[in-house]
Amino acid sequence: MEGREKRRRATVLDDDDELRGRRREQEAALLLHKIKGLVGWVVAEVGAGRSPSVALNRYQNYCTSAAASPPTCACSYDAPVGTDILCLLRKEFHASRLSVLLRVLFVVQQLLQQNKHCSKRDIYYMYPSIFIEQAVVDRAINDICILFKCSRHNLNVVPVAKGLVMGWIRFVEGEKKVYCITNVNAAFSIPVSIETIKDIVSVAHYILVVEKETVFQRLANDKFCERNRCIVITQLAYDANLLRVPGIRWLGVFTSDFEEYCLPDYCLLDLSSEDRKKLEGILTRCYLHREAPEWRAELEAMLEKGVKFEIEALSASSISFLSQEYIPQKIKLGRHI
């Protein structure tokens, strides 16, 4: 009976993998069809002596009503607040933006046709004299995602770094078995193409996402996963959009942590003018008033004090303080926002 049940589960997993594979193929084919349609239309318009223009939705990332008391804004960041018209013969900036968009689309079209992946950095180095800087490519990819209502993942454009994972998980990458669970403190590379990952099995209680690889290495050296039944991944492992899940929590570091954990003054850094500009911009976002007042309080405290500190400063008193005390305490006591 046990052997029959295992075979049944294996069959179900195979069927699920096949369905996911077919779904990905259908999504790629549909996106490819849309891209070919747009490029074909632009070529036809230019050939007929007309100036093609593309309407691109614009989304706000701030709220001008957020300062109201109480905030009355009901804006949605998924709803467009305006439209940019990109035209080849009007306004030099927009003409350049549309030209870059079409060139990047050509690369994306090749990726989808050949079922290959590349990074934004790879795309920049294909035409560096035309793109001038990486930010130009980044904006074009963002424009394409808005235009076709998809994510960078759908375009087969992946992060520059693969990202790392360790902990209580195992999975299959193509034909290779990746058993992190047999050595939970060892770092494994995450494939750039997550479509090749299947048969995921985990007994972890939670997933810890860390921004910096230095922090990841600190946790690995301190055998964090051995003491805590979890999975640790670097943020570079995934498209930021894929991290927007309901259960995610901001664990730290907070401005209030400086006094609470008695960090020495030499760990502090003065806020730069750019830091202040970013903080002021973030504080105008209405969700900080409606949905995340704790975040707003921390950011306001940082702006008022005029200083910041890096997460590595938590190791000032003890090299393993971050892994042995700070993170476990915050999770155990629910001190996160």
Side-chain angles (χ1 to χ4, degrees):
M1 285 291 291
E2 186 178 344
R4 195 180 316 151
E5 179 62 20
K6 285 183 178 179
R7 287 194 296 274
R8 189 192 68 79
R9 284 200 298 267
T11 301
V12 170
L13 288 173
D14 288 342
D15 290 344
D16 289 344
D17 289 338
E18 187 177 345
L19 284 172
R20 281 195 294 269
R22 282 206 299 266
R23 192 181 305 118
R24 286 194 296 267
E25 289 176 2
Q26 291 170 355
E27 290 172 352
L30 179 60
L31 182 56
L32 193 56
H33 176 73
K34 291 179 179 179
I35 291 173
K36 288 180 177 180
L38 175 64
V39 174
W41 172 77
V42 170
V43 170
E45 289 291 289
V46 172
R50 292 187 290 269
S51 173
S53 60
V54 174
L56 193 68
N57 285 331
R58 184 171 63 249
Y59 296 84
Q60 69 179 21
N61 60 2
Y62 62 91
C63 173
T64 56
S65 303
S69 182
T72 56
C73 174
C75 65
S76 168
Y77 295 97
D78 294 324
V81 296
T83 304
D84 286 339
I85 304 298
L86 279 57
C87 180
L88 284 177
L89 298 184
R90 266 188 274 149
K91 294 185 180 179
E92 183 179 343
F93 171 74
H94 277 179
S96 173
R97 186 173 164 189
L98 181 54
S99 298
V100 169
L101 185 148
L102 292 171
R103 193 172 290 270
V104 174
L105 267 180
F106 173 71
V107 176
V108 170
Q109 180 174 310
Q110 290 180 308
L111 293 175
L112 294 173
Q113 287 173 330
Q114 299 172 26
N115 193 26
K116 293 183 177 179
H117 296 75
C118 75
S119 70
K120 294 189 290 186
R121 199 65 177 163
D122 291 331
I123 295 175
Y124 166 73
Y125 279 117
M126 290 177 187
Y127 308 99
S129 61
I130 295 174
F131 295 144
I132 307 300
E133 59 180 351
Q134 181 67 52
V136 173
V137 175
D138 295 348
R139 177 161 194 174
I141 291 171
N142 187 55
D143 286 345
I144 292 169
C145 290
I146 292 174
L147 189 62
F148 294 109
K149 296 179 179 164
C150 64
S151 73
R152 187 184 65 203
H153 167 73
N154 298 123
L155 305 178
N156 283 9
V157 178
V158 298
V160 175
K162 292 181 179 180
L164 299 172
V165 60
M166 64 179 175
W168 299 82
I169 186 174
R170 75 182 191 204
F171 56 89
V172 175
E173 175 199 344
E175 300 301 321
K176 183 176 74 173
K177 295 179 180 179
V178 182
Y179 280 19
C180 307
I181 205 167
T182 59
N183 185 1
V184 294
N185 302 305
F188 292 83
S189 294
I190 294 179
V192 294
S193 175
I194 61 175
E195 295 94 338
T196 62
I197 299 176
K198 59 182 180 179
D199 297 347
I200 299 174
V201 176
S202 174
V203 291
H205 295 157
Y206 61 89
I207 299 172
L208 182 65
V209 181
V210 298
E211 181 183 3
K212 298 182 177 181
E213 193 169 318
T214 54
V215 175
F216 182 95
Q217 295 299 342
R218 175 77 269 137
L219 297 179
N221 290 338
D222 291 344
K223 296 180 170 50
F224 183 81
C225 291
E226 187 176 305
R227 296 187 178 92
N228 303 274
R229 192 172 285 270
C230 67
I231 298 165
V232 181
I233 64 171
T234 55
Q235 186 173 347
L236 286 172
Y238 292 99
D239 187 335
N241 288 326
L242 301 180
L243 290 177
R244 296 190 301 179
V245 294
I248 200 165
R249 296 291 183 268
W250 176 16
L251 195 66
V253 294
F254 305 153
T255 302
S256 54
D257 288 340
F258 180 78
E259 294 179 355
E260 187 167 345
Y261 292 96
C262 302
L263 297 178
D265 288 342
Y266 59 75
C267 293
L268 291 175
L269 299 169
D270 291 331
L271 292 179
S272 66
S273 57
E274 185 64 24
D275 290 332
R276 289 183 176 277
K277 183 178 178 182
K278 286 181 179 179
L279 276 171
E280 290 165 355
I282 293 172
L283 285 170
T284 61
R285 300 179 183 181
C286 68
Y287 66 81
L288 287 178
H289 296 258
R290 295 199 319 264
E291 301 165 21
E294 301 92 347
W295 292 19
R296 187 192 73 244
E298 290 289 339
L299 294 171
E300 287 175 341
M302 184 187 298
L303 194 58
E304 181 182 350
K305 293 177 183 296
V307 292
K308 63 181 180 180
F309 65 95
E310 301 292 339
I311 193 170
E312 288 87 350
L314 293 168
S315 301
S317 58
S318 167
I319 193 67
S320 297
F321 177 79
L322 180 67
S323 63
Q324 293 181 3
E325 296 187 53
Y326 181 81
I327 295 176
Q329 280 183 14
K330 286 229 170 179
I331 292 175
K332 183 178 180 179
L333 301 177
R335 292 158 63 192
H336 49 65
I337 55 181

